[in-house]
Amino acid sequence: MWGTFRCPSLYRDKHSLLRLLEWLKAAKGISILAKIHPEPMPLDNENYKFRRPIQARGQEKFDRILDAADEIVAVNGADDLSLYDIAEKAGVAVGSVYHFFPSTHAVLVALVERYDSRFQQLVQTAPHGTMNSWQDVIWFQTEQSRNYINSTPGAIIMILGSGQTWATRLADEKGDQRIAEDMAKAIERFFVLPTNPPAEDLLFNSIRMLEALWATSYIRHGEVTGGYAKETHKAIVAYLSQYWPPFLEPTRQPATE
């Protein structure tokens, strides 16, 4: 077999490198071109998927592993994260980490899902007192989220900063869809939302705008500042005002005895 292939000469130019890679691919049946020019992969790729625990004992270990990963990312970032470091930090065997996570990509995806779940909880939190407008509800929701992300270094790195990868962006997009749905439900506790376009679609776009502006604040200031929070709120309100009137009909609350 080897006699049928002639290895190309090595030169320091791109075409010769690609010829060499093609030769290796043909000779050994291994596609390494994909490693040089990776194509975007879906979130259900085996390298991104993680095993969810089904028992309490497994959940406890799973959480310890994610807690350890979160602490490492918060201090060192995500670039050099390894499953061995995570295992050592969590105080578990490396095999336990591999049981749930086939790669660091899968760990980071799970972390982003955890952060987004917390955002979901925050936007569902009922504001204290009366909300005079839908704008007030959104301000409350985004301020809750801003306080959380500023106080959680791992989240700000993974959602806004250098920890982002193709896999985590896909995971965050799915998380943002769920957050948008919960934002809409929370607003509907106070106001009747227009149904066309669907409120969750508009709020999803609003979240994506928010993340872009908050990322700029993080790059410039190391946090999401109050000033950027106000500018982001203006942008979201301006966008939603293309579809929603300034004042929405209040939701009729059921009579209480």
Side-chain angles (χ1 to χ4, degrees), residues 9-246:
S9 300
L10 294 180
Y11 298 98
R12 293 184 180 180
D13 62 89
K14 177 180 178 182
H15 295 293
S16 294
L17 174 61
L18 292 178
R19 284 173 58 219
L20 173 61
L21 295 177
E22 283 293 341
W23 176 81
L24 290 170
K25 176 183 176 182
K28 305 183 76 171
I30 300 174
S31 177
I32 54 179
L33 278 175
K35 298 180 181 179
I36 305 300
H37 300 289
E39 295 293 333
M41 293 185 289
L43 195 56
D44 61 359
N45 179 276
E46 291 299 323
N47 201 40
Y48 299 161
K49 293 167 66 175
F50 58 90
R51 179 180 295 179
R52 300 179 187 276
I54 57 177
Q55 296 180 346
R57 184 177 179 181
Q59 184 66 55
E60 187 272 337
K61 187 171 292 185
F62 182 87
D63 290 339
R64 282 171 60 191
I65 292 169
L66 284 188
D67 288 343
D70 175 67
E71 291 179 28
I72 294 172
V73 170
V75 176
N76 301 323
D79 290 344
D80 298 322
L81 186 68
S82 77
L83 298 184
Y84 293 94
D85 291 339
I86 294 171
E88 182 178 7
K89 185 75 172 178
V92 301
V94 176
S96 295
V97 180
Y98 274 107
H99 174 76
F100 295 108
F101 304 100
S103 67
T104 55
H105 291 294
V107 174
L108 295 177
V109 166
L111 270 181
V112 169
E113 284 194 12
R114 176 195 265 193
Y115 299 141
D116 281 343
S117 293
R118 180 57 181 153
F119 287 125
Q120 283 184 258
Q121 295 172 356
L122 291 171
V123 300
Q124 294 178 66
T125 304
H128 299 294
T130 303
M131 292 286 105
N132 296 319
S133 66
W134 58 265
Q135 296 92 330
D136 289 344
V137 181
I138 288 178
W139 174 254
F140 177 85
Q141 292 172 326
T142 56
E143 278 297 278
Q144 291 276 94
S145 300
R146 182 172 75 93
N147 291 335
Y148 168 69
I149 203 167
N150 276 341
S151 63
T152 312
I156 203 167
I157 289 171
M158 293 304 307
I159 303 295
L160 305 179
S162 61
Q164 296 179 78
T165 67
W166 178 255
T168 62
R169 290 186 183 199
L170 291 176
D172 187 42
E173 181 183 20
K174 288 185 176 294
D176 287 347
Q177 291 171 351
R178 294 189 292 268
I179 295 167
E181 292 170 0
D182 288 331
M183 287 181 72
K185 291 175 183 177
I187 296 171
E188 286 177 326
R189 292 203 293 265
F190 298 92
F191 302 99
V192 179
L193 288 175
T195 57
N196 189 28
E200 57 268 25
D201 291 350
L202 299 178
L203 290 167
F204 170 79
N205 292 338
S206 298
I207 293 171
R208 304 306 283 182
M209 287 191 292
L210 174 146
E211 289 185 358
L213 288 169
W214 281 14
T216 301
S217 180
Y218 176 59
I219 290 170
R220 293 184 174 182
H221 307 289
E223 65 175 1
V224 183
T225 65
Y228 263 90
K230 292 177 181 178
E231 292 302 305
T232 301
H233 184 67
K234 291 177 185 177
I236 290 175
V237 169
Y239 169 69
L240 292 176
S241 294
Q242 303 300 309
Y243 305 94
W244 298 350

